Structure formats: C-alpha cells, structure tokens
Amino acid sequence: MKSLFLLLTVLFSFGLFGQEKLVLQNLFDATLSEEVSCYRIPALTTAPNGDLLAAIDERVASCSDLGTNPNINIVLRRSTDHGKTWSEIEKVADFPEGQSASDPSFIVDMQTKNILLFYNYMNVNEEKGVYYFHVMKSNDNGKSWSAPQDITSQISEKDWSRDFKFITSGRGIQRRSGQLLHTLVNLEHGLHLFGSDDHGKTFFVRDKPLLPGDESKVVERADGSLMVNSRVNSGGMRYAHFSGKNEATWHAEPQPELIDPSCNASMIRYTEKADGFSKNRILFSNAKNNRERKNMTVRISYDEGQSWGEGKTIYQGLAAYSTMTILENGNIGLLFEGDGYTKNYFTQFSLEWLTDGKDRLNKHSKKKY
C-alpha cells in the first residue's frame, strides 16, 4: 500500500506521462507598477539562438487602444533558459508623450537570422486617427534593435491614409521560399497580406482583399498554398481563407467548430512531413467561447486546417489575445491575456501533454525538436 501511495503521489505531482503540471508565469502585470495602466496585446517568438522573446504594449496613460492613447510603448522580456526565468522588462519602442506604438508582432528570418518586429504607430497629438506601420530589425537575437523604419507607403494605398488600419499583432511567417508574409487589416477595405521577397529590405502588399476578416494569422500549407484564419465580428466563430497554389484564387469558409468571441487568436505551423516528422500539424489557440473572452484552448489540425480537434483547455478563466511559439525542445509556448487584462500568462507544454498521450513527436526530424 505504501509503495502504491508513493506512486500515485508522483503521478499527481508531475501529471500524466511524466510531465510536470502546467505552470503559469505572469510576465506582465500592471498592478506591480504605479506608472503603467495595463499591459495588452502580446507577441511571442523563438529567436534563432533559441531565446524566447515576449513583447507587449505598455499602456501608460490609460488602457485604451492606439487611436486615443497618447502613451503606449512596446516592451520586451527575454528568456535564455527555455522559459524557466525571464529578464526584467525593457523598452524597445519608446516615443515622446503624444506618440504611441502598439500591437507588436514578430517574423524570424531563419535564412538571415534576423528578427523583424512590426508595430502600429500614431502621433495622437498632431495626427490623431492616422495610422502608420513601422518595423525594427535585430541581428543579435533581439538584444538590440535598429531604428524604426516607416513602411506605411509600401504596404498601404494613398486613399487609406485616414482609414482604421493595423498590422495584426502576434506574428507572421517565413515561407519555404524565404518569403516573409504577414497580415494587415483595413476595416474599410478588408484583410490583406503583405510581406517581403528580399528579407525585409522592401515590402509589398497584395491588392486582393480577403473577406470577411479582422485580425488574422497565416500559415503555408504542406502543398505550398496559404491558409489565413480570421477573426470576424459577428457569428461567434472563425473564418478560414484558402488560396490556390499560385494565390490567384481564394475561397473563404466559415469554421463553426472554431467558436470565438470575436478576439485575436494564434495559429502556427508545428510540424511538417517535409522536415522528417511523421505528421503535418498546425496549432490554433483562442478563447473557446462564442460570446465571452474566456476558456483559453489549444487545438491541433492534422489535415492542414480543414478540420480541428476539440483541443485542450489551458485556462478556464477570463482570457483574450494569445500568441504561440515552438521552443527548441519541441514544447509549445503560449502567452495570453488573462483575468480581465490584468495578467499576461506564459506557459509551455509538450505535444504529448496536449493530446493526453495520443500523439508525440518522432525523433527523426531535421529540426532540433
């Protein structure tokens, strides 16, 4: 009996399949600062050297969005030990009072080993309602950043100057060809893809809008086509946009199984057979509820986004925007807004934990994990 009791104690302490219980780390908490109103809109990525970078809005004047807030900075924390510990908060984009930067997102260029950090900018005092797009670059795994580059004229039209437009927060992708690709939203003219064919020296925007669509994420499918998963502001579910192989044609499909309270979500490629993995896998995280921002859940698609499993609840309480990355060891990293925008939780878990032991990584891939 004693040995059985000890065995059960070990199982419950470490969880099923020899893994520790889910640990939530609150990386950004405005209640700990007298100067910050709230931290919102997280972005998360894995640097080429394996470091984790977590960026977010530091909203000083109030918790309101870019259009009316005269003091929002982009701040960042780093982990050099796979998410066990994190650095102090450092400012990455910090403009004078009256100018704000918001909605960070990353693309890691694995060919050049550079990291691109995008955000939306506004001079609230002098050009209130006029949105600009900026990018900063790092060639040292996010330890230092270039001066901001204004790419607004490259990825938007002249008649968009006073439209409500923004680059989606979270992250974009690098395709197998090396092309960088991301999403931006113009609430007057629709969802658009933008990117770069020369590693961020210049940028383009696709003129064909995808509708319906708000904040969105894009992945390259195994056959080279694209899938964009979109927030919409009615109906309580997500929409998916699928391209043909040459992107000349697109079609939109409602995804009623992906219930959603009209909130930004995350979607990333996890594994692909072309890299030596046994299965194609795409991950999706959102607040799994059709009315309220709560119940943060992560799901898997094994058929390139045509269908999704029920997923596993990560956090039952209030939860909103989320962003994911893959750690060097193959764990899935998740950063999400929680508890009514007062906390921003980071956690990580394995594929085996996520699937209750039904799926696991094979060990013959070309990637580190």
Side-chain angles (χ1 to χ4, degrees):
M1 282 296 291
K2 186 176 181 179
S3 60
L4 178 60
F5 174 79
L6 289 174
L7 176 60
L8 290 174
T9 299
V10 170
L11 287 174
F12 280 106
S13 296
F14 288 89
L16 295 173
F17 319 112
Q19 296 183 35
E20 296 182 4
K21 288 184 178 180
L22 206 62
V23 175
L24 298 178
Q25 296 172 274
N26 183 14
L27 297 190
F28 301 97
D29 187 342
T31 65
L32 303 178
S33 171
E34 295 181 356
E35 299 177 355
V36 179
S37 294
C38 72
Y39 292 102
R40 281 217 59 201
I41 321 296
L44 181 68
T45 199
T46 304
N49 71 343
D51 287 358
L52 298 181
L53 304 179
I56 202 165
D57 281 14
E58 180 186 70
R59 299 188 172 188
V60 179
S62 72
C63 207
S64 61
D65 293 336
L66 180 62
T68 57
N69 197 325
N71 194 345
I72 307 177
N73 308 308
I74 304 297
V75 297
L76 181 143
R77 295 186 73 176
R78 167 193 304 275
S79 175
T80 60
D81 56 8
H82 310 296
K84 295 178 182 177
T85 62
W86 294 81
S87 67
E88 296 297 318
I89 294 174
E90 61 179 284
K91 287 185 173 64
V92 176
D94 182 14
F95 292 96
E97 180 77 21
Q99 302 175 52
S100 288
S102 181
D103 305 331
S105 61
F106 292 109
I107 296 180
V108 175
D109 187 330
M110 291 304 295
Q111 294 185 4
T112 64
K113 307 302 181 185
N114 290 337
I115 305 172
L116 284 69
L117 171 61
F118 300 89
Y119 61 85
N120 305 303
Y121 167 86
M122 182 181 293
N123 188 324
V124 179
N125 288 346
E126 297 183 7
E127 290 185 290
K128 187 175 181 178
V130 180
Y131 294 82
Y132 292 90
F133 304 136
H134 286 184
V135 63
M136 303 171 72
K137 300 173 185 177
S138 174
N139 60 10
D140 57 6
N141 298 292
K143 296 175 183 176
S144 63
W145 297 89
S146 68
Q149 178 188 359
D150 185 343
I151 59 172
T152 312
S153 62
Q154 297 182 58
I155 62 173
S156 63
E157 304 296 334
K158 290 182 179 180
D159 61 356
W160 291 7
S161 62
R162 300 199 66 88
D163 290 349
F164 185 4
K165 60 185 184 291
F166 51 90
I167 296 174
T168 298
S169 66
R171 63 189 296 162
I173 65 168
Q174 183 172 41
R175 304 180 71 176
R176 287 193 172 276
S177 65
Q179 182 185 75
L180 309 181
L181 204 60
H182 206 340
T183 64
L184 66 86
V185 181
N186 182 318
L187 292 185
E188 299 292 328
H189 293 91
L191 164 68
H192 291 259
L193 290 170
F194 78 93
S196 175
D197 288 322
D198 55 13
H199 303 287
K201 295 177 183 178
T202 61
F203 291 87
F204 62 80
V205 63
R206 301 291 188 223
D207 58 6
K208 180 178 178 63
L210 304 178
L211 298 169
D214 199 307
E215 292 165 314
S216 302
K217 300 296 183 294
V218 59
V219 296
E220 184 174 23
R221 304 172 85 197
D223 65 359
S225 64
L226 298 174
M227 174 178 60
V228 178
N229 188 283
S230 296
R231 165 187 176 174
V232 294
N233 294 318
S234 63
M237 63 180 174
R238 310 284 297 185
Y239 263 75
H241 304 271
F242 298 95
S243 81
K245 288 187 179 181
N246 59 3
E247 299 175 48
T249 60
W250 286 83
H251 71 277
E253 295 180 7
Q255 295 199 311
E257 72 271 31
L258 292 185
I259 62 173
D260 187 79
S262 183
C263 188
N264 196 12
S266 183
M267 182 179 66
I268 60 173
R269 165 71 60 184
Y270 186 44
T271 60
E272 193 168 348
K273 290 180 180 179
D275 291 319
F277 292 99
S278 59
K279 300 175 184 177
N280 294 323
R281 301 177 181 94
I282 298 174
L283 300 171
F284 175 82
S285 67
N286 81 325
K288 186 184 176 185
N289 189 282
N290 60 8
R291 294 188 305 273
E292 298 180 72
R293 291 183 172 185
K294 64 180 183 180
N295 193 33
M296 180 55 57
T297 300
V298 176
R299 306 175 188 240
I300 304 176
S301 174
Y302 294 99
D303 57 9
E304 297 299 279
Q306 289 294 146
S307 64
W308 298 88
E310 284 297 312
K312 191 166 185 176
T313 297
I314 307 300
Y315 192 71
Q316 292 182 339
L318 296 176
Y321 283 32
S322 62
T323 177
M324 290 186 289
T325 194
I326 308 303
L327 282 63
E328 279 191 319
N329 63 2
N331 276 359
I332 301 157
L334 173 70
L335 178 62
F336 65 94
E337 300 174 325
D339 301 345
Y341 313 112
T342 62
K343 307 290 193 300
N344 290 272
Y345 292 119
F346 170 81
T347 192
Q348 61 175 294
F349 42 86
S350 70
L351 174 65
E352 190 175 6
W353 181 90
L354 181 63
T355 61
D356 293 327
K358 297 175 183 176
D359 193 9
R360 65 181 66 189
L361 289 175
N362 62 302
K363 301 183 183 298
H364 303 291
S365 68
K366 300 174 187 177
K367 289 189 176 181
K368 291 183 180 179
Y369 56 88

